[in-house]
Amino acid sequence: MKRAIYPGSFDPVTNGHLDVVERARKLFDEVIVAVAHNDEKLPMFSLEERLELLNQTAGKIDNVRVTQFDGLLIEFARNEKASAVIRGLRAVSDFEFEFQMALMNRKLESSVETIFLMPKEEYTYLSSRLVKEIARLGGDVSKFVPAIVTTALGKKFKR
Ligand code: ADP
């Protein structure tokens, strides 16, 4: 059983994340989308909200499971008997941080490989941060996120 973890903040999940999930699930028997607990990024959506939005989207896809994790990613990967960590690469700007993380994780646990997947070109400029910014300013985000996320963002920014 080949299992991969796709970790992140998912604050909130976007079509870019879902594109990466679709690619990953073709390579592995199971993909675990894992929402990070210990988020220094001060998320807009609570852990429960982020999990709910993921459960209603990624969680509906075959051989994809949604869960949360706390502490070291590599420890979580070990407990789940995962052989790979999936990360999305959008642009060169993602590279430096991701490269550092991947090599550090390899030092911590050499049996877990980090695999980078590129989304469809139209998602390379998409980030949760930008989506939140557009929604905050009253723009239309429906092309970038699943419908339930558009609704959830609408509720957050109701004036
Ligand atoms: P983190 O806080 O760990 O960066 P994110 O939720 O922002 O969490 O992203 C999780 C993963 O998904 C990261 O590897 C990120 O590069 C990737 N990702 C985010 N948005 C996109 C996108 N539009 N296309 C491809 N990958 C993406």
Side-chain angles (χ1 to χ4, degrees), residues 6-11 14 16-17 20 39 41 86-90 94 97-98 117-119 123-128:
Y6 179 32
S9 317
F10 304 101
D11 183 39
T14 69
H17 292 130
V20 169
D39 210 338
K41 291 183 173 175
I86 303 289
R87 296 289 286 173
L89 262 196
R90 286 161 291 189
D94 280 340
F97 174 73
E98 294 293 345
L117 295 174
M118 270 77 74
Y123 297 140
T124 51
Y125 56 84
L126 186 53
S127 70
S128 299

Side-chain angles (χ1 to χ4, degrees), residues 45 51 78 87 104 130 146-147 154:
F45 290 93
L51 282 166
R78 233 182 249 144
R87 296 289 286 173
M104 180 52 87
L130 263 185

Side-chain angles (χ1 to χ4, degrees), residues 9 19 24 34 47 54 57 72 90 105 114-115 118 127 133 137 143 158:
S9 317
D19 181 285
L47 179 67
L54 276 167
T57 52
L72 266 187
R90 286 161 291 189
N105 281 336
T114 301
I115 297 182
M118 270 77 74
S127 70
E133 186 69 4
L137 298 171
K143 283 205 260 328
K158 205 160 50 193

